Amino acid sequence: MTEEEFQVPSSKKDAKRRAEELKEKIRYHDRKYYLENEPVISDHEYDMLVKELEALEEKFPELITPDSPTQRVLSTEIDEFETVEHMSAMLSLDNTYNHEELKEFDKRVKKGLGSEHEKISYIVEPKIDGLGVALFYEDKILQRGSTRGDGVRGEDITPNLKTVPTIPLRLKEGTVLNTIEVRGEVYMPRDLFEKMNQERIEKEKDPFANPRNAAAGTVRNKDPSVVAERPLDIFIYTLSHHEEGNFDTHWKCLKEMKKAGFKVNENIVKKEGIDEVIEYIDEWKEKKEELNYEIDGMVVKGNRLDYQEELGATSKHPRWAIAYKYPAMRKTSIVEDIEVQVGRTGKLTPIAILEPIQLSGTTVERASLHNEDELERKEVNVGDKVLVEKAGEIIPQVIKVTEKKSEGVFELPRNCPVCGSDAKKIGDEVARRCINANCPAQVKQKIEHWASRNAMDIEGLGPKVIEKLVEKDLVRVIPDLYKLQKWQIIHLERMGEKSAQNLLSEIEESKDQGLARVLYGFGIRYVGSHMSQVLAKNFRSIEELMEEDAEDLMRIDEVGPETAQSLISFFGDEQNRKMIDELRALGVDMESEMERTEDFLAGKRFVFTGALDQYTRSEASEMIERAGGRVTSSVSGATDFLIMGENPGSKLDRAKEEGTTILNEEEFQEILEKREIPD
Ligand code: IVH
């Protein structure tokens, strides 16, 4: 539809008035549709409102405001999520698993308040199995949304959260709330998760393991337009900061947040005393399976805010709240077969193929039997009746044999079921591994991992294509991917000229993914997605990383001895070094994508102690890193500077012993301003 058909006003004043009107209408219909499930206009009528607003904004771009419904989906990709420090720590909850523990919690609360005989008023809420996020609003407008992260710092994922239709970009009129922070759980509804996975399977994309993983993978996706297509939703459960209004209970906060347009769970109740709480929790034990979202328990919170304050928190958990976790779902089934899988590292894993059963809303047909020791301990064989458990996001497990229907125990083969090479136990490892590094099963999984979303993200390189490439002996090691020619792949089954070309371009593009993804793609033990980012932040290139010894590596925050050792042995392996050389020669970028603006701190190592006044530690670290320096967590002979804030810790003594140059905050600032290190 064109601009004329909407009769876009020619005067800016009229346009502004109409734009305001349209925004308000769209917000109203969004609430009706997404929050109340009671749409009052047709989809077409709604689309027309949005299109008219778009036409207006196109003609008068100055009318575009950050809270405009047209601003939900950002079209540009995000380079890197910024780290944000939370206004107050995002604590986690202590867990309980039975009535007794809940009663003990109640006793502790009463004791803490010195009121042994009072019936405490509790709020009981479903514990949504998703991801904790914080949303900050200023003057009613959403400014920032972030992940929980480690509780102190999270990542700024505002553009992604803006795509979630149930997150208001602007608070509803009529609430006293204005400048606030709220916290809640982002999740994916069960039905929409199933539908999305079905579509992914049809498009030969990997399905997500469960709604939680899908939500987690989505909120940190760098492309908000991809996020917008995934069905995310949110429940808000905490008013963590407010500058207006006066609330004396959590219950009143929940009510006000609802009034402000947030989605607050409909099964939250107020109960007097722990017995009523327990009764409500039990009521949901089975009923929870009927919900359209996954919950893994219930959260019990003291209702009075003055009590919450009085009880306070430990370093990890508040003392006024607790989570109750429902027991994992268990059912019996029959082992129809036992399959032996060969993993990326050659590990043989026995998998029980089960007579399909329904467990917490999903069909379970396979369960891990782990390894030989487990097989023997449980005495499992084909034909046995077994008890199967599915706990949260973990793969279903066989707990025990309930009826032995067969003789003896299943024996793991002594040869790899895929390539026939010896399968051996090395050292005192429990696992049996195929010793052939070129085993097709291993190669396939290494390549799959390399191509996966969090690694090089080569969409067209799914399991089926990889299988064919490996079968035809076109790919044996990762670098082979970058040598593929069109004529070699065009004849593979279901691969036309166009898809062959697309695949080659995607492989070519993956060369620029940078160090973090390359490191993750190698599948080094203990180096997951997060660790590879930590490493890429600390080293400019793979060469720099390869030069380090274990001690150097362990000076990096978060790198422990196992990770350090694993990196050393990976880079010490001749095959791996050859692979890295080859990848470099083929043009794969193994430099850190960290933007380096200057170099005046090149090679210098910094350590912080005490609290800084002008910057947060992450800001200061970033400035150092951008200038080529490194930040490590502990002082050693290799440390060049200790930056000392208020109340320095024992690192100061260590620095004095080592003769490290000690800088106060002003001196540090001076270096940054002058862009040079004093002699
Ligand atoms: S309250 C200090 N309420 O569970 C209060 N958390 O282990 C902490 N969660 O990190 C949060 N549903 O991500 C709260 N109704 C609910 C919740 C909930 C899910 C998550 C949240 C938190 C974790 C606690």
Side-chain angles (χ1 to χ4, degrees):
M1 197 165 284
T2 62
E3 199 184 275
E4 288 74 44
E5 283 167 82
F6 291 116
Q7 296 177 335
V8 172
S10 49
S11 98
K12 194 173 148 199
K13 206 170 138 210
D14 290 344
K16 189 169 180 212
R17 193 176 314 123
R18 180 65 182 151
E20 289 307 326
E21 207 173 278
L22 284 166
K23 285 181 202 175
E24 202 41 53
K25 275 193 177 168
I26 296 170
R27 271 184 215 118
Y28 169 79
H29 291 300
D30 278 345
R31 286 195 292 268
K32 280 283 166 204
Y33 185 91
Y34 291 107
L35 282 177
E36 294 163 27
N37 284 328
E38 268 177 13
V40 285
I41 56 172
S42 70
D43 288 0
H44 177 74
E45 285 168 298
Y46 177 85
D47 288 345
M48 286 302 113
L49 293 176
V50 176
K51 286 210 168 120
E52 187 182 346
L53 180 59
E54 279 169 353
L56 267 171
E57 289 180 341
E58 198 182 338
K59 187 157 175 195
F60 298 103
E62 61 273 31
L63 295 181
I64 303 175
T65 54
D67 64 336
S68 169
T70 61
Q71 302 303 299
R72 282 210 180 259
V73 186
L74 191 76
S75 54
T76 45
E77 289 198 22
I78 303 160
D79 262 356
E80 198 173 353
F81 298 115
E82 304 255 331
T83 306
V84 284
E85 215 146 322
H86 295 303
M87 297 180 87
S88 56
M90 286 180 82
L91 300 174
S92 62
L93 294 165
D94 207 359
N95 292 324
T96 55
Y97 299 90
N98 53 48
H99 295 179
E100 263 332 289
E101 288 172 358
L102 281 169
K103 285 183 181 158
E104 278 162 25
F105 161 73
D106 180 54
K107 274 192 195 143
R108 285 198 300 276
V109 167
K110 288 177 178 168
K111 195 161 174 234
L113 296 169
S115 59
E116 262 78 0
H117 305 292
E118 186 187 351
K119 252 194 190 172
I120 304 290
S121 176
Y122 289 112
I123 304 299
V124 192
E125 311 180 357
K127 186 168 185 300
I128 316 296
D129 201 7
L131 277 112
V133 296
L135 303 171
F136 177 65
Y137 290 77
E138 202 172 304
D139 292 332
K140 289 199 162 44
I141 296 177
L142 175 65
Q143 305 290 337
R144 193 174 64 224
S146 54
T147 61
R148 175 175 182 274
D150 62 5
V152 178
R153 281 182 213 100
E155 286 177 316
D156 184 335
I157 51 163
T158 314
N160 287 349
L161 290 179
K162 275 189 160 183
T163 68
V164 180
T166 40
I167 294 183
L169 299 183
R170 177 193 195 82
L171 303 182
K172 202 169 139 188
E173 292 308 314
T175 172
V176 294
L177 301 175
N178 218 33
T179 293
I180 56 167
E181 191 200 61
V182 297
R183 293 174 182 176
E185 201 84 351
V186 171
Y187 70 96
M188 206 174 272
R190 276 182 168 155
D191 56 347
L192 299 176
F193 163 77
E194 293 293 344
K195 190 164 157 252
M196 179 191 75
N197 253 0
Q198 216 45 54
E199 286 166 8
R200 289 183 71 86
I201 292 167
E202 277 156 28
K203 290 186 189 153
E204 286 213 7
K205 289 183 182 168
D206 295 342
F208 288 100
N210 55 45
R212 209 200 91 87
N213 279 7
T218 303
V219 294
R220 296 184 66 252
N221 192 300
K222 296 276 170 73
D223 186 349
S225 60
V226 169
V227 179
E229 281 167 15
R230 307 248 179 97
L232 292 179
D233 209 333
I234 194 166
F235 281 119
I236 298 295
Y237 46 66
T238 305
L239 179 60
S240 41
H241 172 86
H242 59 100
E243 291 175 12
E244 304 75 22
N246 201 356
F247 309 100
D248 54 3
T249 61
H250 177 50
W251 188 246
K252 287 184 186 159
C253 294
L254 288 169
K255 275 194 168 166
E256 193 63 30
M257 292 194 291
K258 203 168 169 196
K259 203 167 161 193
F262 290 109
K263 182 162 169 172
V264 176
N265 191 280
E266 64 278 15
N267 298 310
I268 299 181
V269 291
K270 187 160 79 167
K271 295 287 174 192
E272 304 305 323
I274 201 72
D275 292 336
E276 280 189 16
V277 169
I278 291 174
E279 205 178 307
Y280 188 68
I281 287 177
D282 282 350
E283 210 180 293
W284 278 96
K285 186 173 171 218
E286 303 287 337
K287 225 165 64 179
K288 71 176 196 300
E289 300 306 325
E290 291 160 25
L291 293 169
N292 194 23
Y293 44 87
E294 297 202 334
I295 71 171
D296 58 344
M298 287 282 182
V299 184
V300 184
K301 302 176 179 175
N303 187 25
R304 279 175 59 164
L305 299 183
D306 57 340
Y307 282 3
Q308 292 189 0
E309 188 150 342
E310 200 174 330
L311 289 163
T314 67
S315 64
K316 288 195 197 126
H317 317 296
R319 292 199 187 86
W320 45 266
I322 201 129
Y324 170 85
K325 292 278 193 90
Y326 288 111
M329 295 291 275
R330 292 178 168 192
K331 258 190 200 164
T332 54
S333 177
I334 293 165
V335 181
E336 291 183 335
D337 195 5
I338 294 179
E339 228 178 68
V340 180
Q341 265 183 6
V342 184
R344 203 168 69 215
T345 54
K347 187 177 161 215
L348 267 50
T349 307
I351 309 280
I353 310 298
L354 305 166
E355 191 179 82
I357 42 168
Q358 288 300 118
L359 261 186
S360 13
T362 52
T363 310
V364 174
E365 323 182 62
R366 300 162 74 82
S368 175
L369 290 162
H370 304 284
N371 53 47
E372 263 164 330
D373 285 14
E374 282 287 297
L375 275 171
E376 264 163 46
R377 201 171 57 77
K378 292 175 184 158
E379 290 188 41
V380 190
N381 210 341
V382 177
D384 293 341
K385 204 167 186 184
V386 289
L387 188 64
V388 182
E389 172 180 298
K390 189 172 161 244
E393 60 189 283
I394 310 161
I395 335 163
Q397 312 286 312
V398 170
I399 301 298
K400 61 175 182 189
V401 172
T402 51
E403 232 178 284
K404 188 87 191 135
K405 298 260 185 165
S406 62
E407 297 281 301
V409 182
F410 180 82
E411 243 188 81
L412 218 53
R414 297 295 180 264
N415 294 88
C416 169
V418 176
C419 72
S421 308
D422 286 352
K424 288 189 177 161
K425 285 188 174 185
I426 299 158
D428 51 5
E429 262 200 328
V430 216
R432 192 171 281 281
R433 289 176 201 275
C434 162
I435 57 162
N436 172 15
N438 293 322
C439 167
Q442 289 185 51
V443 174
K444 275 180 211 163
Q445 290 187 62
K446 276 186 190 147
I447 304 287
E448 262 181 50
H449 182 71
W450 179 260
S452 68
R453 262 194 306 275
N454 291 333
M456 304 307 269
D457 196 17
I458 312 176
E459 272 231 3
L461 198 57
K464 295 215 171 107
V465 178
I466 294 173
E467 183 156 357
K468 284 178 214 142
L469 291 173
V470 175
E471 266 169 21
K472 295 255 183 296
D473 217 16
L474 292 170
V475 174
R476 267 188 234 181
V477 284
I478 295 168
D480 291 343
L481 284 176
Y482 297 93
K483 297 180 197 159
L484 286 173
Q485 305 282 326
K486 197 150 133 195
W487 61 268
Q488 292 177 304
I489 56 173
I490 207 160
H491 299 299
L492 297 179
E493 224 176 295
R494 291 178 63 186
M495 179 76 73
E497 160 102 28
K498 193 152 170 244
S499 33
Q501 187 53 53
N502 283 348
L503 178 59
L504 289 182
S505 332
E506 278 177 24
I507 293 177
E508 182 64 27
E509 273 168 33
S510 77
K511 287 181 177 173
D512 298 327
Q513 290 281 27
L515 184 59
R517 282 167 175 272
V518 166
L519 287 174
Y520 175 69
F522 285 153
I524 307 166
R525 204 163 176 201
Y526 304 120
V527 182
S529 195
H530 174 71
M531 181 54 68
S532 45
Q533 283 173 34
V534 169
L535 293 170
K537 275 206 175 128
N538 278 276
F539 299 96
R540 253 187 291 195
S541 63
I542 202 153
E543 288 78 20
E544 252 185 34
L545 170 60
M546 288 168 81
E547 275 167 20
E548 300 293 89
D549 61 23
E551 214 170 289
D552 282 329
L553 288 168
M554 270 151 60
R555 275 196 208 98
I556 300 170
D557 248 350
E558 298 185 65
V559 177
E562 278 137 347
T563 312
Q565 205 42 58
S566 169
L567 283 162
I568 298 288
S569 65
F570 181 86
F571 291 124
D573 180 271
E574 205 181 320
Q575 298 269 12
N576 291 336
R577 296 182 82 96
K578 204 176 130 207
M579 168 177 75
I580 292 167
D581 286 343
E582 237 186 300
L583 286 174
R584 187 184 303 109
L586 287 161
V588 175
D589 173 20
M590 286 178 283
E591 308 265 309
S592 169
E593 60 270 56
M594 186 175 75
E595 212 181 298
R596 185 155 312 209
T597 35
E598 283 169 292
D599 241 11
F600 62 93
L601 297 181
K604 297 292 177 205
R605 292 172 191 241
F606 291 78
V607 174
F608 292 108
T609 182
L612 298 181
D613 188 36
Q614 300 290 319
Y615 321 99
T616 64
R617 273 200 192 174
S618 52
E619 281 166 356
S621 304
E622 203 173 313
M623 289 193 265
I624 292 172
E625 281 159 7
R626 281 188 193 286
R630 295 251 308 271
V631 178
T632 59
S633 57
S634 60
V635 176
S636 76
T639 309
D640 295 290
F641 298 101
L642 178 80
I643 302 172
M644 182 183 64
E646 221 159 290
N647 300 321
S650 61
K651 290 183 206 170
L652 180 60
D653 304 328
R654 183 75 208 275
K656 282 181 184 159
E657 274 168 37
E658 292 285 354
T660 311
T661 311
I662 298 164
L663 302 171
N664 61 30
E665 195 167 342
E666 278 145 38
E667 288 164 329
F668 168 56
Q669 237 175 336
E670 206 177 297
I671 293 182
L672 290 177
E673 275 162 21
K674 291 196 174 150
R675 299 191 152 58
E676 62 178 28
I677 298 172
D679 304 323

